[in-house]
Amino acid sequence: MSTVLEQIEQQIAKLSSKAVKKNTGNIRTIADGVAKIDGLSDVMYNEMVQFPGGAIGIALNLEETEVGCVILGDISKLKEGDEVTTTGKLLSVPVGKALLGRTVDALGNPVDGKGPIDSKEAYPVERIAPGIIVRKSVSQPLFTGIMAIDSMIPIGRGQRELIIGDRGTGKTTITIDTIINQAKINKVGLASGDKAFRPVYSIYVAIGQKNSNIVRTIAALEAAGALEFTVIVSAPAADNPANQYLAPYSGAAIGEWFMENGMDALIVYDDLSKHAVAYRQISLILKRPSGREAYPGDVFYLHSRLLERAARLEGKGSLTALPIIETLAGDVSAYIPTNVISITDGQIFLETDLFNQGIRPAVSVGLSVSRVGSAAQIKATKQVGGKLKGELAQFRELAAFAQFGSDLDAKTKAQLERGGRIVELFKQPAFAPLPIELQVSVLFAMQKGFFDPIELKKVVEAASSLKAFFTTRKDALLAEIRTKAALDKDLEAKLQAACEEWKSSFAA
Amino acid sequence: MASSAKVAQQFARQLVTLSLVDGSVSAERVGGVLAYLEKHAPANAIAVLKAYHRLIATEVAKGEAVVEHAGPVSEAELASIAAALSKHYRRTVTATARERPELIAGLRVHVGDDIYESSVAAQLAALEASV
Ligand SMILES: Nc1ncnc2c1ncn2[C@@H]1O[C@H](COP(=O)(O)OP(=O)(O)OP(=O)(O)O)[C@@H](O)[C@H]1O
Ligand SMILES: [Mg+2]
């Protein structure tokens, strides 16, 4: 009851308050979603300004005689001479759990036709990233469900791991797999009734993509039952550059709400190359001086201030970021890739060659790193996968060497056989993330030589048979691996026995 | 292209500085500036004059408050508004009244690009936007 009265009192206070001061200006020119405005002498940088007909602008260029604003929303009815007023507010978007399962635009308006979003709070789109003191180091795992990543390039909550690769190398698929995996873990964890369980909510920000691609992504999430834990922020290619420029910051604000309220969230920026292009477009229209590759000088700050907002906070939650960058012909030394590589805590590099050879996900193990994630890896994975990276690197070297001569000694041959099998085991279809306990089981079987007698071409088949066997018949064992998160003598014996059992059933 | 526009703008800005006395536009000084320009026309005279015109208009607007009102406004009230604004902006601001029945009741004061709104119409609009 009292809240109702408070609301009315606030309304009265608003109405009876003295004169409201506003600062105004007039549109001098308007083109390409950018308006140059006379007046607005009191406007602040990044302040929201109001155009007639409900369109909103953001003041980005404050010059002596004019103000440059990007316009969000319908600009078709705006014309020269229209009056513009300041609002005294910075742009903010609705946040909260009400957004889960929804698709919104860069301003947080629903675009999925599922009706209005009942959110009680709003967060500013631009926010200063948390400082050093409140940050905690990364120590809790975030499982992607992709074996090659979880075992060799592990990611922790609060980390920023870049996904980088050429067109069509499976970048988006890796992030969608990760989101699907969070949903699966959430369902198991929430059903277990474990009080200490921390679900991970996901935010997928689509920047400058074709609408058809975004629809496909949403459909994949829905089919996997992951949509209910996911917020989608959509600024498709057809949207004006201002919306594409803003969308990642809006997504970050939505993610920050989870982090600030003691929850864990994951945010995917797909992709920041297109984001940089949208920003370049705006900057060129605003006639800002441009530098390398025609990007404006502050393009580094564009992405650093975004990615710095991902963190793990003392006494609160975390926000993990998976930014995506598209390269041209594998060139990571271009301007935007080098910038983003330098801001993130590691990168997962996808290679066209591997992809075309059918090695999918096409993760290049040699070029991929995770600088903080190993602190977050569970012990069981370290036990069965600790040496994998080295083994694979050695395999690559030997394989290149083996092309020149046929007479190899037995040890080298064995290493080659083993390496080839690891590569096969890491193959994984799209949208089929693997629970960590199954990953441990498969890697255990590999380390114990269960795949060695199997023909190389049959390894994928054998691995899926092993996975099916464990999921249908060894539920209790999997649950034990999951909860213990480390292999003791007893568990190892059980795993060994289960693998033997599978071996006889597979051979039969 | 862009740079010559900038030069004109800068020149016009200097001319505006010459046209002010105690922060307000002086008709006498403006006359002097115009006479000078007529004799020593710069290369881009039209651009300079246009920029000068716009800047002077902005300066003039800063010193002239337009008080829109619905309902009566006395001379004393106008004078007190002018005095308050002069104090606030630290320059002489004169006030002229303009009748605007569509405000329903209350005032709206324009000074330069600032607007002070205390009309019933604006409050109704704010209320409408908030529900
Ligand atoms: N692990 C996988 N197994 C089989 N097919 C895959 C796998 N990963 C991706 N693909 C397929 O490869 C294609 C490209 O994948 P995806 O869209 O994820 O790549 P991308 O790098 O995001 O592409 P773009 O540069 O167009 O954004 C898709 O058709 C996808 O289904
Ligand atoms: Mg993609």
Side-chain angles (χ1 to χ4, degrees):
Chain A
M1 223 32 220
S2 65
T3 56
V4 177
L5 291 178
E6 264 171 36
Q7 270 180 347
I8 300 174
E9 278 162 18
Q10 277 175 6
Q11 197 76 59
I12 293 171
K14 245 192 246 162
L15 287 183
S16 56
S17 65
K18 285 284 203 183
V20 189
K21 185 184 170 189
K22 282 189 290 187
N23 192 247
T24 64
N26 296 297
I27 299 180
R28 186 195 293 176
T29 61
I30 178 164
D32 305 309
V34 169
K36 301 276 179 69
I37 295 160
D38 274 331
L40 288 187
S41 53
D42 277 356
V43 76
M44 298 178 289
Y45 181 64
N46 263 335
E47 183 177 345
M48 246 161 58
V49 296
Q50 182 74 54
F51 286 90
I56 285 169
I58 297 175
L60 281 186
N61 256 30
L62 309 185
E63 284 173 30
E64 222 182 330
T65 54
E66 64 181 20
V67 174
C69 285
V70 292
I71 304 168
L72 308 158
D74 187 14
I75 59 168
S76 59
K77 290 189 192 70
L78 299 178
K79 57 185 186 308
E80 272 172 40
D82 277 354
E83 190 179 87
V84 188
T85 51
T86 56
T87 62
K89 280 185 279 191
L90 299 175
L91 188 66
S92 56
V93 286
V95 293
K97 280 197 173 174
L99 278 97
L100 292 170
R102 304 299 304 267
T103 305
V104 296
D105 65 12
L107 297 174
N109 302 312
V111 290
D112 52 7
K114 293 182 189 167
I117 294 173
D118 180 29
S119 84
K120 311 240 161 4
E121 267 182 272
Y123 266 28
V125 164
E126 292 275 1
R127 204 143 173 265
I128 307 282
I132 310 168
I133 295 162
V134 293
R135 283 178 192 251
K136 256 165 97 180
S137 62
V138 171
S139 64
Q140 289 176 329
L142 186 122
F143 299 120
T144 62
I146 294 161
M147 206 151 83
I149 297 174
D150 289 344
S151 62
M152 296 183 291
I153 321 153
I155 298 171
R157 295 186 188 189
Q159 186 174 340
R160 298 149 304 171
E161 183 79 5
L162 169 66
I163 318 275
I164 184 166
D166 279 7
R167 268 192 64 194
T169 46
K171 303 182 294 298
T172 302
T173 306
I174 284 188
T175 60
I176 299 304
D177 276 344
T178 307
I179 293 178
I180 292 176
N181 201 39
Q182 304 318 308
K184 287 192 167 160
I185 297 172
N186 289 353
K187 282 179 187 164
V188 173
L190 294 173
S192 74
D194 179 2
K195 287 268 182 312
F197 177 74
R198 297 177 64 86
V200 176
Y201 299 96
S202 305
I203 298 114
Y204 177 82
V205 186
I207 310 147
Q209 296 186 39
K210 283 182 286 218
N211 269 318
S212 57
N213 275 354
I214 302 175
V215 168
R216 193 144 38 94
T217 300
I218 296 174
L221 290 173
E222 188 148 38
L227 207 52
E228 57 181 300
F229 298 104
T230 311
V231 184
I232 294 173
V233 181
S234 161
D239 235 349
N240 65 39
N243 288 40
Q244 295 180 40
Y245 158 69
L246 267 179
Y249 302 101
S250 306
I254 294 170
E256 272 163 342
W257 182 85
F258 289 102
M259 174 166 74
E260 292 289 340
N261 287 282
M263 288 171 270
D264 291 329
L266 160 75
I267 186 160
V268 173
Y269 302 111
D270 194 357
D271 62 54
L272 291 188
S273 306
K274 297 196 183 77
H275 182 235
V277 169
Y279 186 58
R280 174 168 67 185
Q281 207 170 330
I282 293 171
S283 301
L284 289 177
I285 299 168
L286 284 170
K287 296 212 165 58
R288 290 181 175 181
S290 52
R292 188 175 158 191
E293 292 178 28
Y295 288 104
D298 63 345
V299 73
F300 181 80
Y301 178 56
L302 175 81
H303 289 148
S304 61
R305 74 174 193 266
L306 174 70
L307 293 169
E308 277 290 291
R309 288 163 74 175
R312 179 158 173 251
L313 297 185
E314 187 68 51
K316 292 178 182 168
S318 70
L319 180 64
T320 310
L322 295 181
I324 294 180
I325 286 281
E326 183 181 302
T327 49
L328 262 178
D331 180 14
V332 292
S333 65
Y335 193 25
I336 303 299
T338 41
N339 276 350
V340 179
I341 285 173
S342 74
I343 309 162
T344 45
D345 306 307
Q347 71 274 350
I348 292 168
F349 189 72
L350 302 177
E351 273 185 299
T352 313
D353 283 352
L354 295 176
F355 190 85
N356 292 341
Q357 286 164 30
I359 301 175
R360 302 176 189 179
V363 177
S364 162
V365 176
L367 293 175
S368 302
V369 287
S370 171
R371 282 183 215 114
V372 294
S374 60
Q377 205 169 29
I378 61 168
K379 188 155 175 237
T381 314
K382 282 194 181 130
Q383 285 170 304
V384 293
K387 293 193 228 95
L388 277 173
K389 224 180 162 179
E391 264 178 287
L392 267 180
Q394 213 165 18
F395 164 68
R396 291 265 144 71
E397 231 169 80
L398 288 175
F401 197 62
Q403 290 180 333
F404 298 107
S406 52
D407 40 334
L408 300 162
D409 63 85
K411 188 172 165 253
T412 314
K413 238 180 190 160
Q415 273 180 325
L416 278 173
E417 295 275 308
R418 174 61 66 89
R421 279 168 179 73
I422 301 176
V423 171
E424 290 298 304
L425 284 178
F426 281 150
K427 287 186 181 169
Q428 220 175 310
F431 310 138
L434 215 53
I436 195 74
E437 57 272 18
L438 257 184
Q439 296 187 20
V440 169
S441 309
V442 173
L443 291 177
F444 179 87
M446 191 273 299
Q447 298 290 17
K448 297 292 173 192
F450 281 94
F451 292 107
D452 290 347
I454 292 164
E455 219 185 310
L456 197 60
K457 270 190 238 143
K458 291 240 169 97
V459 168
V460 172
E461 191 192 325
S464 50
S465 148
L466 178 89
K467 288 173 210 159
F469 177 83
F470 269 75
T471 3
T472 52
R473 311 262 296 271
K474 297 289 161 199
D475 220 22
L477 178 57
L478 289 177
E480 201 178 335
I481 302 174
R482 184 169 62 235
T483 45
K484 278 193 182 160
L487 302 181
D488 49 20
K489 282 263 155 356
D490 174 50
L491 251 181
E492 281 193 22
K494 283 185 189 167
L495 262 171
Q496 181 82 23
C499 288
E500 299 284 0
E501 201 182 326
W502 162 75
K503 191 180 169 186
S504 51
S505 80
F506 183 65
Chain B
M1 266 298 283
S3 73
S4 87
K6 216 163 231 166
V7 171
Q9 183 77 34
Q10 261 164 11
F11 186 40
R13 187 156 285 282
Q14 286 170 345
L15 296 178
V16 170
T17 324
L18 292 174
S19 314
L20 301 183
V21 175
D22 295 335
S24 311
V25 177
S26 141
E28 194 184 329
R29 292 284 187 91
V30 171
V33 165
L34 290 177
Y36 174 84
L37 283 181
E38 199 154 30
K39 269 199 217 127
H40 311 272
N44 44 358
I46 293 185
V48 170
L49 275 172
K50 275 190 175 160
Y52 181 62
H53 178 260
R54 210 180 52 231
L55 290 168
I56 288 291
T58 313
E59 286 301 325
V60 169
K62 279 189 202 165
E64 281 181 359
V66 177
V67 180
E68 298 182 340
H69 60 96
V73 170
S74 69
E75 278 304 318
E77 277 168 326
L78 265 186
S80 82
I81 290 173
L85 290 173
S86 302
K87 197 169 155 215
H88 178 76
Y89 289 104
R90 298 204 198 115
R91 64 173 173 250
T92 321
V93 178
T94 58
T96 46
R98 194 175 294 159
E99 174 105 37
R100 284 243 183 234
E102 63 267 33
L103 297 183
I104 306 173
L107 297 175
R108 177 157 67 201
V109 182
H110 298 255
V111 192
D113 59 6
D114 287 337
I115 294 181
Y116 297 86
E117 184 76 73
S118 68
S119 68
V120 170
Q123 290 176 8
L124 285 176
L127 189 60
E128 189 180 79
S130 72
V131 290

mmCIF file with all atom_site columns, all heavy atoms in Angstrom, chain A residues 13 15 37 90-91 98 118 127 213 227 255 269 334 358 371 400 436 503:
data_model
loop_
_atom_site.group_PDB
_atom_site.id
_atom_site.type_symbol
_atom_site.label_atom_id
_atom_site.label_alt_id
_atom_site.label_comp_id
_atom_site.label_asym_id
_atom_site.label_entity_id
_atom_site.label_seq_id
_atom_site.pdbx_PDB_ins_code
_atom_site.Cartn_x
_atom_site.Cartn_y
_atom_site.Cartn_z
_atom_site.occupancy
_atom_site.B_iso_or_equiv
_atom_site.pdbx_formal_charge
_atom_site.auth_seq_id
_atom_site.auth_comp_id
_atom_site.auth_asym_id
_atom_site.auth_atom_id
_atom_site.pdbx_PDB_model_num
ATOM 1   N N   . ALA A 1 13  ? 5.142  15.491  -6.458  1.00 0.00 ? 13  ALA A N   1
ATOM 2   C CA  . ALA A 1 13  ? 6.388  16.238  -6.327  1.00 0.00 ? 13  ALA A CA  1
ATOM 3   C C   . ALA A 1 13  ? 6.889  16.680  -7.689  1.00 0.00 ? 13  ALA A C   1
ATOM 4   O O   . ALA A 1 13  ? 7.346  17.809  -7.874  1.00 0.00 ? 13  ALA A O   1
ATOM 5   C CB  . ALA A 1 13  ? 7.437  15.380  -5.632  1.00 0.00 ? 13  ALA A CB  1
ATOM 6   N N   . LEU A 1 15  ? 5.109  17.162  -10.403 1.00 0.00 ? 15  LEU A N   1
ATOM 7   C CA  . LEU A 1 15  ? 4.261  18.164  -11.038 1.00 0.00 ? 15  LEU A CA  1
ATOM 8   C C   . LEU A 1 15  ? 4.387  19.516  -10.366 1.00 0.00 ? 15  LEU A C   1
ATOM 9   O O   . LEU A 1 15  ? 4.316  20.545  -11.017 1.00 0.00 ? 15  LEU A O   1
ATOM 10  C CB  . LEU A 1 15  ? 2.809  17.702  -11.006 1.00 0.00 ? 15  LEU A CB  1
ATOM 11  C CG  . LEU A 1 15  ? 2.489  16.569  -11.971 1.00 0.00 ? 15  LEU A CG  1
ATOM 12  C CD1 . LEU A 1 15  ? 1.022  16.245  -11.926 1.00 0.00 ? 15  LEU A CD1 1
ATOM 13  C CD2 . LEU A 1 15  ? 2.894  16.947  -13.382 1.00 0.00 ? 15  LEU A CD2 1
ATOM 14  N N   . ILE A 1 37  ? 23.486 19.700  -34.950 1.00 0.00 ? 37  ILE A N   1
ATOM 15  C CA  . ILE A 1 37  ? 22.502 20.527  -34.275 1.00 0.00 ? 37  ILE A CA  1
ATOM 16  C C   . ILE A 1 37  ? 23.116 21.845  -33.819 1.00 0.00 ? 37  ILE A C   1
ATOM 17  O O   . ILE A 1 37  ? 24.193 21.873  -33.220 1.00 0.00 ? 37  ILE A O   1
ATOM 18  C CB  . ILE A 1 37  ? 21.917 19.750  -33.080 1.00 0.00 ? 37  ILE A CB  1
ATOM 19  C CG1 . ILE A 1 37  ? 21.155 18.545  -33.618 1.00 0.00 ? 37  ILE A CG1 1
ATOM 20  C CG2 . ILE A 1 37  ? 21.007 20.624  -32.244 1.00 0.00 ? 37  ILE A CG2 1
ATOM 21  C CD1 . ILE A 1 37  ? 20.956 17.475  -32.619 1.00 0.00 ? 37  ILE A CD1 1
ATOM 22  N N   . LEU A 1 90  ? 21.522 9.994   -19.208 1.00 0.00 ? 90  LEU A N   1
ATOM 23  C CA  . LEU A 1 90  ? 22.325 9.150   -20.076 1.00 0.00 ? 90  LEU A CA  1
ATOM 24  C C   . LEU A 1 90  ? 21.440 7.989   -20.522 1.00 0.00 ? 90  LEU A C   1
ATOM 25  O O   . LEU A 1 90  ? 20.527 7.585   -19.807 1.00 0.00 ? 90  LEU A O   1
ATOM 26  C CB  . LEU A 1 90  ? 23.550 8.627   -19.330 1.00 0.00 ? 90  LEU A CB  1
ATOM 27  C CG  . LEU A 1 90  ? 24.491 9.723   -18.844 1.00 0.00 ? 90  LEU A CG  1
ATOM 28  C CD1 . LEU A 1 90  ? 25.618 9.141   -18.016 1.00 0.00 ? 90  LEU A CD1 1
ATOM 29  C CD2 . LEU A 1 90  ? 25.061 10.495  -20.035 1.00 0.00 ? 90  LEU A CD2 1
ATOM 30  N N   . LEU A 1 91  ? 21.720 7.462   -21.687 1.00 0.00 ? 91  LEU A N   1
ATOM 31  C CA  . LEU A 1 91  ? 20.900 6.384   -22.226 1.00 0.00 ? 91  LEU A CA  1
ATOM 32  C C   . LEU A 1 91  ? 20.933 5.167   -21.309 1.00 0.00 ? 91  LEU A C   1
ATOM 33  O O   . LEU A 1 91  ? 21.988 4.762   -20.841 1.00 0.00 ? 91  LEU A O   1
ATOM 34  C CB  . LEU A 1 91  ? 21.442 6.004   -23.608 1.00 0.00 ? 91  LEU A CB  1
ATOM 35  C CG  . LEU A 1 91  ? 20.598 5.018   -24.393 1.00 0.00 ? 91  LEU A CG  1
ATOM 36  C CD1 . LEU A 1 91  ? 19.277 5.625   -24.770 1.00 0.00 ? 91  LEU A CD1 1
ATOM 37  C CD2 . LEU A 1 91  ? 21.346 4.567   -25.633 1.00 0.00 ? 91  LEU A CD2 1
ATOM 38  N N   . ALA A 1 98  ? 13.282 -10.439 -16.301 1.00 0.00 ? 98  ALA A N   1
ATOM 39  C CA  . ALA A 1 98  ? 12.147 -10.409 -17.218 1.00 0.00 ? 98  ALA A CA  1
ATOM 40  C C   . ALA A 1 98  ? 12.618 -10.463 -18.671 1.00 0.00 ? 98  ALA A C   1
ATOM 41  O O   . ALA A 1 98  ? 11.845 -10.778 -19.572 1.00 0.00 ? 98  ALA A O   1
ATOM 42  C CB  . ALA A 1 98  ? 11.319 -9.155  -16.977 1.00 0.00 ? 98  ALA A CB  1
ATOM 43  N N   . ASP A 1 118 ? 8.214  -6.750  -18.737 1.00 0.00 ? 118 ASP A N   1
ATOM 44  C CA  . ASP A 1 118 ? 7.896  -6.195  -17.431 1.00 0.00 ? 118 ASP A CA  1
ATOM 45  C C   . ASP A 1 118 ? 9.169  -6.091  -16.601 1.00 0.00 ? 118 ASP A C   1
ATOM 46  O O   . ASP A 1 118 ? 9.436  -6.931  -15.749 1.00 0.00 ? 118 ASP A O   1
ATOM 47  C CB  . ASP A 1 118 ? 6.865  -7.109  -16.758 1.00 0.00 ? 118 ASP A CB  1
ATOM 48  C CG  . ASP A 1 118 ? 6.496  -6.591  -15.380 1.00 0.00 ? 118 ASP A CG  1
ATOM 49  O OD1 . ASP A 1 118 ? 6.570  -5.356  -15.183 1.00 0.00 ? 118 ASP A OD1 1
ATOM 50  O OD2 . ASP A 1 118 ? 6.169  -7.407  -14.509 1.00 0.00 ? 118 ASP A OD2 1
ATOM 51  N N   . ARG A 1 127 ? 28.975 2.593   -18.830 1.00 0.00 ? 127 ARG A N   1
ATOM 52  C CA  . ARG A 1 127 ? 29.237 2.550   -17.410 1.00 0.00 ? 127 ARG A CA  1
ATOM 53  C C   . ARG A 1 127 ? 30.733 2.378   -17.223 1.00 0.00 ? 127 ARG A C   1
ATOM 54  O O   . ARG A 1 127 ? 31.394 1.726   -18.012 1.00 0.00 ? 127 ARG A O   1
ATOM 55  C CB  . ARG A 1 127 ? 28.515 1.329   -16.842 1.00 0.00 ? 127 ARG A CB  1
ATOM 56  C CG  . ARG A 1 127 ? 28.193 1.414   -15.408 1.00 0.00 ? 127 ARG A CG  1
ATOM 57  C CD  . ARG A 1 127 ? 26.832 0.758   -15.183 1.00 0.00 ? 127 ARG A CD  1
ATOM 58  N NE  . ARG A 1 127 ? 26.550 0.682   -13.766 1.00 0.00 ? 127 ARG A NE  1
ATOM 59  C CZ  . ARG A 1 127 ? 26.810 -0.401  -13.033 1.00 0.00 ? 127 ARG A CZ  1
ATOM 60  N NH1 . ARG A 1 127 ? 27.335 -1.457  -13.574 1.00 0.00 ? 127 ARG A NH1 1
ATOM 61  N NH2 . ARG A 1 127 ? 26.524 -0.403  -11.743 1.00 0.00 ? 127 ARG A NH2 1
ATOM 62  N N   . ASN A 1 213 ? 20.389 -14.973 -40.336 1.00 0.00 ? 213 ASN A N   1
ATOM 63  C CA  . ASN A 1 213 ? 21.348 -15.621 -39.432 1.00 0.00 ? 213 ASN A CA  1
ATOM 64  C C   . ASN A 1 213 ? 20.887 -15.544 -37.982 1.00 0.00 ? 213 ASN A C   1
ATOM 65  O O   . ASN A 1 213 ? 21.013 -16.503 -37.222 1.00 0.00 ? 213 ASN A O   1
ATOM 66  C CB  . ASN A 1 213 ? 22.724 -14.958 -39.545 1.00 0.00 ? 213 ASN A CB  1
ATOM 67  C CG  . ASN A 1 213 ? 23.531 -15.530 -40.689 1.00 0.00 ? 213 ASN A CG  1
ATOM 68  O OD1 . ASN A 1 213 ? 23.107 -16.497 -41.320 1.00 0.00 ? 213 ASN A OD1 1
ATOM 69  N ND2 . ASN A 1 213 ? 24.666 -14.933 -40.954 1.00 0.00 ? 213 ASN A ND2 1
ATOM 70  N N   . LEU A 1 227 ? 16.745 -20.998 -24.661 1.00 0.00 ? 227 LEU A N   1
ATOM 71  C CA  . LEU A 1 227 ? 16.254 -19.622 -24.787 1.00 0.00 ? 227 LEU A CA  1
ATOM 72  C C   . LEU A 1 227 ? 15.806 -19.054 -23.441 1.00 0.00 ? 227 LEU A C   1
ATOM 73  O O   . LEU A 1 227 ? 15.978 -17.871 -23.178 1.00 0.00 ? 227 LEU A O   1
ATOM 74  C CB  . LEU A 1 227 ? 15.112 -19.579 -25.804 1.00 0.00 ? 227 LEU A CB  1
ATOM 75  C CG  . LEU A 1 227 ? 14.907 -18.268 -26.533 1.00 0.00 ? 227 LEU A CG  1
ATOM 76  C CD1 . LEU A 1 227 ? 16.194 -17.776 -27.156 1.00 0.00 ? 227 LEU A CD1 1
ATOM 77  C CD2 . LEU A 1 227 ? 13.838 -18.411 -27.600 1.00 0.00 ? 227 LEU A CD2 1
ATOM 78  N N   . GLY A 1 255 ? 23.975 -7.627  -18.844 1.00 0.00 ? 255 GLY A N   1
ATOM 79  C CA  . GLY A 1 255 ? 24.816 -8.608  -18.157 1.00 0.00 ? 255 GLY A CA  1
ATOM 80  C C   . GLY A 1 255 ? 25.253 -8.112  -16.789 1.00 0.00 ? 255 GLY A C   1
ATOM 81  O O   . GLY A 1 255 ? 25.317 -8.886  -15.825 1.00 0.00 ? 255 GLY A O   1
ATOM 82  N N   . TYR A 1 269 ? 29.642 -11.264 -27.954 1.00 0.00 ? 269 TYR A N   1
ATOM 83  C CA  . TYR A 1 269 ? 29.531 -10.136 -28.889 1.00 0.00 ? 269 TYR A CA  1
ATOM 84  C C   . TYR A 1 269 ? 29.844 -10.648 -30.284 1.00 0.00 ? 269 TYR A C   1
ATOM 85  O O   . TYR A 1 269 ? 30.998 -10.918 -30.605 1.00 0.00 ? 269 TYR A O   1
ATOM 86  C CB  . TYR A 1 269 ? 30.525 -9.030  -28.531 1.00 0.00 ? 269 TYR A CB  1
ATOM 87  C CG  . TYR A 1 269 ? 30.376 -8.489  -27.140 1.00 0.00 ? 269 TYR A CG  1
ATOM 88  C CD1 . TYR A 1 269 ? 31.343 -8.728  -26.170 1.00 0.00 ? 269 TYR A CD1 1
ATOM 89  C CD2 . TYR A 1 269 ? 29.275 -7.714  -26.777 1.00 0.00 ? 269 TYR A CD2 1
ATOM 90  C CE1 . TYR A 1 269 ? 31.224 -8.231  -24.880 1.00 0.00 ? 269 TYR A CE1 1
ATOM 91  C CE2 . TYR A 1 269 ? 29.142 -7.203  -25.497 1.00 0.00 ? 269 TYR A CE2 1
ATOM 92  C CZ  . TYR A 1 269 ? 30.126 -7.463  -24.552 1.00 0.00 ? 269 TYR A CZ  1
ATOM 93  O OH  . TYR A 1 269 ? 30.007 -6.956  -23.277 1.00 0.00 ? 269 TYR A OH  1
ATOM 94  N N   . ALA A 1 334 ? 45.986 -7.428  -38.385 1.00 0.00 ? 334 ALA A N   1
ATOM 95  C CA  . ALA A 1 334 ? 45.230 -6.245  -38.803 1.00 0.00 ? 334 ALA A CA  1
ATOM 96  C C   . ALA A 1 334 ? 44.884 -5.419  -37.559 1.00 0.00 ? 334 ALA A C   1
ATOM 97  O O   . ALA A 1 334 ? 45.049 -5.887  -36.433 1.00 0.00 ? 334 ALA A O   1
ATOM 98  C CB  . ALA A 1 334 ? 43.971 -6.666  -39.547 1.00 0.00 ? 334 ALA A CB  1
ATOM 99  N N   . GLY A 1 358 ? 37.728 -31.052 -42.253 1.00 0.00 ? 358 GLY A N   1
ATOM 100 C CA  . GLY A 1 358 ? 36.710 -31.764 -41.485 1.00 0.00 ? 358 GLY A CA  1
ATOM 101 C C   . GLY A 1 358 ? 37.027 -31.829 -40.010 1.00 0.00 ? 358 GLY A C   1
ATOM 102 O O   . GLY A 1 358 ? 36.349 -32.504 -39.248 1.00 0.00 ? 358 GLY A O   1
ATOM 103 N N   . ARG A 1 371 ? 44.789 -17.280 -20.789 1.00 0.00 ? 371 ARG A N   1
ATOM 104 C CA  . ARG A 1 371 ? 45.816 -16.836 -19.850 1.00 0.00 ? 371 ARG A CA  1
ATOM 105 C C   . ARG A 1 371 ? 45.413 -16.977 -18.397 1.00 0.00 ? 371 ARG A C   1
ATOM 106 O O   . ARG A 1 371 ? 46.270 -16.976 -17.524 1.00 0.00 ? 371 ARG A O   1
ATOM 107 C CB  . ARG A 1 371 ? 46.203 -15.386 -20.153 1.00 0.00 ? 371 ARG A CB  1
ATOM 108 C CG  . ARG A 1 371 ? 47.120 -15.328 -21.345 1.00 0.00 ? 371 ARG A CG  1
ATOM 109 C CD  . ARG A 1 371 ? 47.606 -13.931 -21.669 1.00 0.00 ? 371 ARG A CD  1
ATOM 110 N NE  . ARG A 1 371 ? 47.721 -13.829 -23.109 1.00 0.00 ? 371 ARG A NE  1
ATOM 111 C CZ  . ARG A 1 371 ? 46.990 -13.055 -23.857 1.00 0.00 ? 371 ARG A CZ  1
ATOM 112 N NH1 . ARG A 1 371 ? 46.091 -12.277 -23.315 1.00 0.00 ? 371 ARG A NH1 1
ATOM 113 N NH2 . ARG A 1 371 ? 47.134 -13.047 -25.156 1.00 0.00 ? 371 ARG A NH2 1
ATOM 114 N N   . ALA A 1 400 ? 54.374 -33.675 -39.612 1.00 0.00 ? 400 ALA A N   1
ATOM 115 C CA  . ALA A 1 400 ? 55.024 -32.931 -40.687 1.00 0.00 ? 400 ALA A CA  1
ATOM 116 C C   . ALA A 1 400 ? 56.312 -33.641 -41.105 1.00 0.00 ? 400 ALA A C   1
ATOM 117 O O   . ALA A 1 400 ? 56.649 -33.751 -42.281 1.00 0.00 ? 400 ALA A O   1
ATOM 118 C CB  . ALA A 1 400 ? 55.330 -31.507 -40.229 1.00 0.00 ? 400 ALA A CB  1
ATOM 119 N N   . ILE A 1 436 ? 30.975 -31.977 -18.808 1.00 0.00 ? 436 ILE A N   1
ATOM 120 C CA  . ILE A 1 436 ? 32.376 -32.125 -18.424 1.00 0.00 ? 436 ILE A CA  1
ATOM 121 C C   . ILE A 1 436 ? 32.676 -33.545 -17.950 1.00 0.00 ? 436 ILE A C   1
ATOM 122 O O   . ILE A 1 436 ? 33.754 -34.090 -18.208 1.00 0.00 ? 436 ILE A O   1
ATOM 123 C CB  . ILE A 1 436 ? 32.766 -31.054 -17.365 1.00 0.00 ? 436 ILE A CB  1
ATOM 124 C CG1 . ILE A 1 436 ? 34.271 -30.934 -17.227 1.00 0.00 ? 436 ILE A CG1 1
ATOM 125 C CG2 . ILE A 1 436 ? 32.138 -31.314 -16.021 1.00 0.00 ? 436 ILE A CG2 1
ATOM 126 C CD1 . ILE A 1 436 ? 34.938 -30.227 -18.374 1.00 0.00 ? 436 ILE A CD1 1
ATOM 127 N N   . LYS A 1 503 ? 34.081 -51.755 -23.827 1.00 0.00 ? 503 LYS A N   1
ATOM 128 C CA  . LYS A 1 503 ? 34.940 -52.336 -24.855 1.00 0.00 ? 503 LYS A CA  1
ATOM 129 C C   . LYS A 1 503 ? 34.368 -53.662 -25.348 1.00 0.00 ? 503 LYS A C   1
ATOM 130 O O   . LYS A 1 503 ? 34.288 -53.906 -26.565 1.00 0.00 ? 503 LYS A O   1
ATOM 131 C CB  . LYS A 1 503 ? 36.339 -52.557 -24.279 1.00 0.00 ? 503 LYS A CB  1
ATOM 132 C CG  . LYS A 1 503 ? 37.377 -52.897 -25.328 1.00 0.00 ? 503 LYS A CG  1
ATOM 133 C CD  . LYS A 1 503 ? 38.729 -53.096 -24.679 1.00 0.00 ? 503 LYS A CD  1
ATOM 134 C CE  . LYS A 1 503 ? 39.724 -53.689 -25.638 1.00 0.00 ? 503 LYS A CE  1
ATOM 135 N NZ  . LYS A 1 503 ? 40.994 -54.012 -24.973 1.00 0.00 ? 503 LYS A NZ  1
#
